[in-house]
Amino acid sequence: MASKALDQFRSTLDHLDGEDREHQLAFFRGLMAAGPSAVMELDGRLPGSRAPRSLRLLAMEACFYYPWPDWVPILARILRYESDPAIFETGTRALGRIATHSALAALRELNTMRQGAEFKEVVAQVLTQADPQQAFDHYLSRLLEGSGNPTVANEAAQRLATLVAGPNLTAIRTLTMHPDLLVFRHAIHLLARIQTPEAADALADVFEDSHREVLADRQLKEAIAPYRSLPPAAAREKAQEALRAANAGEGLDLPPGVKDLHRDVVTATEEGKPTALSAALTQAAEAMHQRSRRLSFAVDAAAEGLADQVQKGHLEAGRVLDLLVNAYREQTGREGLARALARLVPADAAAVHQLILQGPDAAQRAAAVEIFGQRAEPALQPVLLQACRDPLADIADRALHHLGQLPGALDLARQLIQSQVPQELALGMRLVGMRRFQELVPDLLAMVQDDTREEVTLQVIETLGAVGGEMASANLLEMLHSGQSLRIQTLVAESLRGLGEPDVAMALCAKADHIKVPILHAVAVEALAAAHGQPERPMPPVNGTMLLHHVRKAWMDRNPWSLRLRVVEALVRIQLAHPETWSAVSDLVRDTLSEKRPAGAWSPDALHQVQAAAKQFAQRASGA
């Protein structure tokens, strides 16, 4: 009976059209009737990727729906070279369903030899589903290739991150003592991913051990320094005295590394070689440098992992916070430590906030400010407000950004701009401009009327330009008159320029004509460029004559070269289809290039910029 079914299956294969639905059904019926004995018959008709795609796909589907162990050698051979992702995935999942020892071995072999992210991802999924523990052991062995094969080790670490769980704690904990730096780093991350109280305690141990080792290496560094300036005899005497004190109990807290250094110094100086002492000190310093890379990473990674464990309820917050505060105070970590501490510190822990924000490391302060901002807690407003006074502008700006996102930012801004303290006033102005608080425009205008100090007026003008809006622009235009100082006139014009509005730019042009100051004409041209610098907002051709008028006025300054450069840069941006205007501009710039310029009027780069612009203006004049 089996022989007859096999003969019928052979007949089906002889006339098989893999694309035909009836033939596909006959194929599966024949295969089911013939049973595993049909496997070898099908194998002979599958010469790898040369077989028709339809037959290869049917064969892989057959392996999946009838997961007989007999398929394993065929699958292992074909999948080594299969280039079609769909066929490869079907065959790989068939191996996962078969799930015998040989099938799992074939999956591990595929994971090792097949290249390409798409193929590796499929194998990783199937291997994990088929036998998680075997998958863990397989990827663990791949991780242990470490720095000798970083691509394989990194990929294995990514797979382990999805597999690691409580039962793997012992294996991962052992890896945290591995000498290879790459393995060690991945081990810390993997340990942090195990969400159990036991793993959290192990991670805390790693953090504390690393913290202590950093402090011990600092003592070692301090111990090395005096020996470098001593002759061998004096160095030996000093080392022997230190060892006697340690043996007498006077150095109970002396790290073992420092004692080893003293012994090495004694040994090196007893050899009588002139370079022995220097070599011993260099070796100790290099070993310390190598450890510092491990320890700095360990403190940071473990700190962030501890913060995760606290937030998931596996560790008590107070215990971890004490560890992090102590490490930050001793500066045994870097940005990771700062991020972890900022995540866990309560909003009312003013002393810890001061410790963080007054830290000596700018990168740590920046990292902490980002976390404070991401927490978005109104109670952290005082913390971010203090961070806005950081001596580094980048940190202060980020703190201000986060401060502006908190509820109550409007009330805070109003309070700050009413302050008599210059620093608070300036901070309030920046906050108003950043958030563009239209509600505070009347307050700003009142300040100009009530406060006669020019510095305050300048701050208000700049802030109104940043806020924008009809009320701000209308009042800025009113401020621009001949009774103001040139400094105020210029700042008002530049604030109006920044609004990028065509109507405002036209009004600024009119003001420039009234006041008749070259720099205002230059700013007017820049305002036109800001308003008409995009193809979708071109300048009307009728305004070409007006543009040329302001260009010529700006060109006539007493010391014109810097203004001329500004005007040229603005003209390049203006979208205007008016060849007559560009012809006049081209002539003006060409004549200027032929003038004799004072030394240093334009830098070489500026000159090249103007020459390139002249060519562009000539092209526009020709209608190109």
Side-chain angles (χ1 to χ4, degrees):
M1 188 71 176
S3 176
K4 182 179 180 182
L6 186 58
D7 289 340
Q8 290 178 343
F9 183 63
R10 290 193 185 106
S11 177
T12 300
L13 291 177
D14 290 338
H15 304 90
L16 180 67
D17 179 0
E19 303 293 341
D20 186 274
R21 178 66 176 166
E22 292 299 325
H23 283 230
Q24 293 172 359
L25 293 174
F27 171 84
F28 283 108
R29 283 195 295 266
L31 182 64
M32 182 171 62
S37 60
V39 171
M40 294 307 297
E41 178 64 34
L42 190 58
D43 182 27
R45 300 173 187 253
L46 287 170
S49 58
R50 290 174 294 163
R53 182 184 186 280
S54 57
L55 179 59
R56 286 160 31 225
L57 183 57
L58 279 175
M60 296 301 104
E61 290 174 345
C63 298
F64 183 84
Y65 290 120
Y66 306 113
W68 302 321
D70 310 67
W71 292 115
V72 173
I74 301 173
L75 286 168
R77 187 189 78 244
I78 293 175
L79 293 177
R80 288 191 190 105
Y81 309 105
E82 180 56 63
S83 59
D84 188 301
I87 296 176
F88 180 84
E89 180 172 359
T90 304
T92 304
R93 294 196 181 281
L95 282 174
R97 285 200 71 189
I98 296 170
T100 61
H101 179 76
S102 59
L104 295 176
L107 284 171
R108 291 193 294 272
E109 181 187 40
L110 287 174
N111 179 264
T112 301
M113 68 176 299
R114 285 307 302 255
Q115 301 301 314
E118 188 173 9
F119 297 112
K120 283 185 172 294
E121 184 64 31
V122 170
V123 176
Q125 290 177 5
V126 174
L127 190 58
T128 300
Q129 294 166 1
D131 190 330
Q133 186 55 49
Q134 280 209 27
F136 177 84
D137 293 340
H138 169 68
Y139 288 120
L140 185 63
S141 67
R142 305 277 281 168
L143 173 61
L144 288 172
E145 296 192 29
S147 300
N149 197 344
T151 301
V152 168
N154 289 332
E155 181 195 342
Q158 291 178 359
R159 304 302 178 194
L160 287 170
T162 65
L163 289 168
V164 72
N168 310 126
L169 175 59
T170 301
I172 299 301
R173 184 69 178 90
T174 302
L175 284 187
T176 61
M177 295 176 280
H178 199 281
D180 186 279
L181 182 60
L182 184 61
V183 176
F184 170 77
R185 289 183 169 186
H186 284 309
I188 300 291
H189 282 310
L190 291 170
L191 180 59
R193 291 186 69 89
I194 302 177
Q195 301 299 312
T196 66
E198 295 77 14
D201 285 334
L203 190 62
D205 291 341
V206 170
F207 179 85
E208 291 184 88
D209 291 344
S210 302
H211 169 71
R212 281 194 293 268
E213 287 187 57
V214 172
L215 296 179
D217 273 354
R218 286 182 186 170
Q219 289 184 260
L220 177 59
K221 184 177 181 179
E222 293 173 357
I224 290 174
Y227 285 121
R228 293 194 181 278
S229 59
L230 294 176
R236 180 170 63 253
E237 183 179 346
K238 179 178 176 61
Q240 289 171 339
E241 182 180 347
L243 288 172
R244 283 193 296 271
N247 294 332
E250 298 177 17
L252 295 177
D253 60 342
L254 201 64
V258 177
K259 294 180 182 178
D260 291 341
L261 172 70
H262 296 322
R263 295 190 188 99
D264 291 344
V265 169
V266 171
T267 302
T269 52
E270 287 176 346
E271 292 177 358
K273 297 180 180 178
T275 60
L277 176 59
S278 176
L281 297 177
T282 299
Q283 184 178 2
E286 288 178 352
M288 182 175 61
H289 176 70
Q290 292 295 325
R291 282 194 303 274
S292 70
R293 297 176 61 195
R294 291 173 62 94
L295 296 175
S296 177
F297 176 85
V299 171
D300 274 8
E304 297 202 80
L306 289 173
D308 289 337
Q309 297 283 17
V310 168
Q311 293 179 337
K312 290 174 181 175
H314 298 305
L315 276 176
E316 193 270 320
R319 171 192 172 191
V320 174
L321 191 60
D322 288 343
L323 293 176
L324 299 181
V325 168
N326 186 39
Y328 193 90
R329 184 177 289 112
E330 297 285 354
Q331 288 290 290
T332 55
R334 295 295 304 261
E335 294 94 319
L337 172 62
R339 283 191 293 268
L341 181 55
R343 285 168 62 185
L344 297 184
V345 61
D348 59 352
V352 180
H353 298 155
Q354 291 297 316
L355 174 69
I356 295 172
L357 297 181
Q358 294 176 4
D361 191 309
Q364 284 185 324
R365 299 198 306 274
V369 165
E370 289 301 316
I371 297 299
F372 287 140
Q374 291 169 17
R375 286 174 59 173
E377 298 175 27
L380 287 174
Q381 188 187 82
V383 182
L384 290 170
L385 187 59
Q386 179 181 347
C388 290
R389 303 183 179 93
D390 193 279
L392 280 186
D394 288 347
I395 298 176
D397 289 344
R398 290 301 298 167
L400 183 65
H401 167 77
H402 291 303
L403 187 65
Q405 306 306 310
L406 293 180
L410 175 61
D411 292 336
L412 175 63
R414 179 178 284 113
Q415 174 187 338
L416 290 171
I417 64 174
Q418 293 172 352
S419 173
Q420 298 300 311
V421 180
Q423 293 81 359
E424 292 186 359
L425 173 61
L427 183 59
M429 293 292 185
R430 289 171 57 208
L431 181 56
V432 173
M434 183 191 71
R435 287 297 310 273
R436 305 186 70 178
F437 284 131
Q438 297 288 336
E439 302 90 332
L440 296 182
V441 170
D443 300 67
L444 295 173
L445 296 173
M447 291 177 64
V448 175
Q449 295 177 356
D450 298 341
D451 198 319
T452 58
R453 290 174 297 174
E454 186 177 67
E455 289 301 322
V456 173
T457 301
L458 293 170
Q459 286 181 310
V460 170
I461 291 170
E462 189 173 359
T463 304
L464 287 171
V467 172
E470 292 184 10
M471 182 183 296
S473 59
N475 281 276
L476 282 171
L477 285 168
E478 286 185 15
M479 292 181 195
L480 187 54
H481 54 77
S482 57
Q484 298 281 20
S485 68
L486 181 60
R487 185 182 182 191
I488 290 181
Q489 289 173 346
T490 304
L491 186 58
V492 171
E494 290 174 345
S495 297
L496 289 166
R497 173 195 64 194
L499 300 179
E501 295 295 334
D503 292 344
V504 174
M506 294 295 290
L508 178 56
C509 289
K511 287 283 187 177
D513 270 338
H514 177 72
I515 300 174
K516 296 180 174 59
V517 177
I519 190 171
L520 296 186
H521 290 286
V523 177
V525 174
E526 292 172 335
L528 290 170
H532 301 290
Q534 300 297 326
E536 60 271 15
R537 258 199 341 187
M539 178 183 290
V542 70
N543 291 338
T545 302
M546 178 200 66
L547 171 64
L548 186 58
H549 164 74
H550 288 286
V551 170
R552 285 173 171 156
K553 290 292 184 181
W555 221 253
M556 297 298 112
D557 191 26
R558 182 175 302 172
N559 185 18
W561 300 104
S562 61
L563 277 189
R564 289 178 178 180
L565 181 60
R566 287 175 58 175
V567 170
V568 168
E569 291 172 343
L571 287 169
V572 168
R573 300 197 304 272
I574 291 180
Q575 303 292 318
L576 172 64
H578 195 248
E580 293 82 358
T581 299
W582 292 120
S583 178
V585 169
S586 177
D587 292 343
L588 182 63
V589 175
R590 187 182 63 247
D591 292 344
T592 300
L593 286 171
S594 65
E595 289 181 24
K596 184 177 180 180
R597 293 178 297 276
W602 284 339
S603 68
D605 288 342
L607 177 59
H608 292 154
Q609 186 178 354
V610 175
Q611 290 169 337
K615 294 179 182 179
Q616 189 173 344
F617 298 150
Q619 290 174 350
R620 294 183 188 181
S622 65

